[in-house]
Amino acid sequence: QVQLVESGGGSVQAGGSLRLSCAASGYTYVCMAWFRQAPGKEREGVAAIDNYGSTNYADSVKGRFTIYRDSAKNTLNLQMNSLKPEDTAIYYCAADRSGLAKGGWLTCGINYSYEYNYWGQGTQVTVSS
């Protein structure tokens, strides 16, 4: 049975840090990613990583967020530093088993959420100014 369970969300002041974790079960996934959705906005990709460790980041988080995975434990993490109020959102862990999100590219994509067929329940991140 596939399960993605996020943890680590919370409230922090601007400039602070949080680390999100996602415990995955069921399969070994080619791509894993973090998406987020702020109130009144569409879901957007934040970062992705393939099973070789190749990463991909949204421009808005480059240099501040780091995605990494522990393949032995089948966990996905997102270290978020220098947080800004605009990072406030529900953060979702997503996994792609087939490799659709990678296609022929060197990294996993974050532009199309439909490429990820397994999703966690989400964890709230709130950054206050």
Side-chain angles (χ1 to χ4, degrees):
Q1 183 179 356
V2 175
Q3 267 195 315
L4 301 177
V5 180
E6 301 102 334
S7 60
S11 297
V12 66
Q13 289 192 327
S17 298
L18 283 173
R19 187 180 69 184
L20 304 183
S21 294
C22 173
S25 61
Y27 302 107
T28 298
Y29 303 99
V30 175
C31 293
M32 297 190 76
W34 290 97
F35 285 75
R36 66 186 180 187
Q37 188 164 18
K41 295 188 177 182
E42 293 187 356
R43 189 171 297 189
E44 64 173 356
V46 175
I49 185 169
D50 70 7
N51 50 351
Y52 295 101
S54 180
T55 58
N56 185 20
Y57 294 93
D59 288 343
S60 59
V61 306
K62 279 181 183 176
R64 301 189 298 122
F65 290 12
T66 302
I67 187 171
Y68 58 101
R69 63 193 286 183
D70 182 336
S71 297
K73 296 180 180 179
N74 216 11
T75 58
L76 177 71
N77 300 281
L78 184 69
Q79 178 65 43
M80 305 185 294
N81 298 329
S82 303
L83 283 160
K84 304 176 181 180
E86 50 263 44
D87 294 319
T88 295
I90 299 174
Y91 283 70
Y92 297 91
C93 172
D96 163 36
R97 181 188 177 196
S98 66
L100 178 64
K102 192 169 183 181
W105 302 100
L106 295 177
T107 60
C108 299
I110 54 173
N111 292 328
Y112 306 108
S113 60
Y114 70 80
E115 292 177 332
Y116 294 83
N117 45 358
Y118 302 109
W119 292 83
Q121 81 286 355
T123 186
Q124 177 71 47
V125 171
T126 302
V127 184
S128 58
S129 58

